[in-house]
Amino acid sequence: MTVPTTDTAVRPKLPRIGLLDTLRGAALIAMATYHFGWDIELVGYLPPGTATTGWMKLYARSIASTFVFIVGVSLVLANTPETRWKSFWKRLGMIVAAAAAISVATYFLTPGEWIFFGILHSIAVLSVIGMLLLRLPLPVIIVLTVVATAAWIADTFVSPGILRWPFFNPRYLAWIGFAEMPQRSNDYVPLFPWIVPFLLGFTSAALAIRTELPAKLAAMGTGSSLLAKIGRRSLSFYLIHQPVLISIAFAMAYVVPPAKPDPAETYLQQCNTSCTVEQGQALCRSFCQCTLDKLQEQQLFTPFQSGEIKPDDGRILSLASECSAAPQ
């Protein structure tokens, strides 16, 4: 089976592009630096919410976008001039197995925020979609890419949340990407909007193979660099790096314990982090400060923080309702 083309020319097998491996390796190193930031926040060196807000949040999304873009590019290049089904199924099996292992491990380690659809889950589904797209004419692929990109722009900038519905909130549907309030997860990379960088990479490669660009990029070399070697072992690096980094973070905390955070400040940061998923930042600051004040006034703050009082306690629900109704 061959990759569909708009002409009848038979293309030779494409050479491996060292620059692509190097870019993948650089993205892996960047991912490791972000995860280490998450780890040192976990052990107490950074304020809660640091790794999931502000520039760190943008940093994480740019890394994930780079990975998914490269997946789209690599899928086209690897299956030109003919579809390599054996290689595809082997790699897909490895990715699915790794994704399942991560889900199981996090379900037991962090049951409240377990990874039900993270970056590996997303790559697995996108890879299957990509193999189906290989059978389509290039103009159709371009149209699909434009439509998906336009939908992301509309949902993010024009009318934020326009494509979000409560119907998709359960985990068994949240992976699609249209959930209004998906359940918390330490790594949530749903199909939408992450299909956008995938399609951009896929379409870019589909256009590039009709030119001399792949050969020119391959001729530039760099395939022997350390980053390229890391990039060629991306799945192994992904699975190994986090256990190593989190072990380092806990060892650091054992040798040099981090300063004890202010409980009130910690509460405000955690409250704002979870609140801003649904509400505006200014509204969340007001709501969180209000709930903190009322918890302290009613001497509920310490037992609430310790877990003695649960979030569904009537007193907690009552003061949350009061703060929600109060003028912001």
Side-chain angles (χ1 to χ4, degrees):
M1 285 180 280
T2 59
V3 177
T5 66
T6 55
D7 55 59
T8 58
V10 178
R11 297 188 178 89
K13 183 177 179 180
L14 296 174
R16 191 173 188 98
I17 300 175
L19 281 173
L20 192 62
D21 291 328
T22 301
L23 179 59
R24 188 185 295 108
L28 285 165
I29 297 299
M31 175 193 65
T33 63
Y34 170 77
H35 283 166
F36 191 61
W38 191 92
D39 295 337
I40 61 177
E41 176 190 321
L42 178 66
V43 299
Y45 283 114
L46 293 176
T50 300
T52 54
T53 57
W55 73 269
M56 286 285 283
K57 181 178 181 179
L58 295 176
Y59 184 47
R61 290 187 174 182
S62 65
I63 295 168
S65 296
T66 301
F67 266 115
V68 176
F69 179 89
I70 294 173
V71 170
V73 172
S74 299
L75 191 68
V76 174
L77 298 181
N79 292 281
T80 301
E82 60 184 14
T83 307
R84 300 167 58 196
W85 284 109
K86 184 177 180 180
S87 176
F88 169 76
W89 289 119
K90 179 181 178 181
R91 181 157 182 81
L92 181 65
M94 293 169 62
I95 294 173
V96 170
I102 289 174
S103 290
V104 172
T106 55
Y107 181 81
F108 288 102
L109 295 173
T110 56
E113 298 180 338
W114 68 285
I115 300 173
F116 63 92
F117 203 82
I119 185 69
L120 289 183
H121 303 72
S122 188
I123 288 174
V125 175
L126 289 172
S127 295
V128 174
I129 291 174
M131 295 301 281
L132 297 175
L133 292 178
L134 286 172
R135 315 311 308 162
L136 299 178
L138 180 58
V140 175
I141 296 172
I142 293 174
V143 169
L144 291 174
T145 303
V146 171
V147 170
T149 304
W152 171 73
I153 292 173
D155 185 65
T156 306
F157 302 106
V158 179
S159 182
I162 191 174
L163 298 179
R164 313 288 167 164
W165 294 283
F167 174 78
F168 290 95
N169 286 347
R171 287 193 180 97
Y172 65 88
L173 292 176
W175 65 272
I176 300 172
F178 299 132
E180 185 178 61
M181 278 292 291
Q183 298 185 48
R184 292 182 64 84
S185 175
N186 282 327
D187 185 26
Y188 177 55
V189 187
L191 193 60
F192 182 86
W194 298 100
I195 195 172
V196 174
F198 172 81
L199 288 175
L200 290 173
F202 189 97
T203 304
S204 298
L207 290 169
I209 62 174
R210 288 158 171 78
T211 70
E212 299 299 321
L213 183 59
K216 291 179 179 179
L217 291 176
M220 297 176 67
T222 76
S224 60
S225 67
L226 178 60
L227 285 177
K229 292 177 181 178
I230 293 173
R232 287 194 291 271
R233 296 165 178 80
S234 56
L235 184 58
S236 297
F237 184 95
Y238 182 88
L239 293 175
I240 294 171
H241 84 283
Q242 183 63 322
V244 172
L245 292 178
I246 202 167
S247 297
I248 293 173
F250 274 103
M252 290 169 53
Y254 179 79
V255 176
V256 184
K260 294 289 185 180
D262 177 18
E265 186 64 27
T266 299
Y267 169 81
L268 288 175
Q269 289 169 335
Q270 292 175 335
C271 177
N272 277 286
T273 298
S274 58
C275 175
T276 50
V277 174
E278 183 178 12
Q279 305 292 342
Q281 189 172 11
L283 181 62
C284 285
R285 282 199 300 267
S286 177
F287 171 80
C288 292
Q289 185 62 57
C290 174
T291 55
L292 173 62
D293 293 341
K294 289 186 177 296
L295 284 168
Q296 291 174 330
E297 288 171 6
Q298 300 177 30
Q299 298 183 343
L300 297 174
F301 181 69
T302 299
F304 179 67
Q305 286 292 89
S306 67
E308 182 182 341
I309 296 178
K310 304 299 181 183
D312 59 355
D313 186 281
R315 292 166 293 178
I316 303 300
L317 296 176
S318 177
L319 65 86
S321 178
E322 291 177 20
C323 289
S324 297
Q328 305 296 333

